[in-house]
Amino acid sequence: MQKLEFESAWDKTIARQDREEIERVFSELHSEEHEKQQTVILKTAYNHREEFLVTVLVNNYSKEPFSLIGKKVLYTEEEHTMGEMDSRYTLEVPPETSMPWTFIFSTASLRRQPSREYGKLFIM
């Protein structure tokens, strides 16, 4: 059965309101309808360095751990790739677990300026 976990740094620092929103999104997921891994965008933003931040719920529905290291990460809007990067993140999502994570796209990794609407994030 799918469970929700927070990486230790997230667990210590996440605001109550953000935790409640993540728990709400998680409670609405149906694992039988998805592939082995899936992401659900929670929010997007720009930081002070003009990097594009995409906070997602990474859902690992498989029976094997899912590592982000070395994976290609794409952010798309309306079938257009807006940003692309090779993940250096060390997060490993345990089997049958969902975890929130923020992907940071540097300005150099952005092909176009994201509108922050109708986006999707793919981990390949």
Side-chain angles (χ1 to χ4, degrees), residues 39-92:
T39 62
V40 175
I41 292 181
L42 300 168
K43 65 181 172 181
T44 61
Y46 286 93
N47 66 14
H48 63 283
R49 292 187 291 236
E50 298 185 16
E51 296 167 319
F52 185 59
L53 314 178
V54 183
T55 302
V56 298
L57 194 57
V58 178
N59 302 294
N60 180 13
Y61 297 115
S62 78
K63 304 224 182 277
E64 302 292 327
F66 178 63
S67 173
L68 296 183
I69 292 178
K71 299 286 193 297
K72 183 168 292 302
V73 181
L74 300 174
Y75 176 77
T76 67
E77 291 179 352
E78 298 179 358
E79 308 302 322
H80 298 286
T81 299
M82 308 303 276
E84 180 178 335
M85 69 172 161
D86 293 320
S87 173
R88 296 179 315 224
Y89 298 110
T90 58
L91 180 71
E92 184 171 275

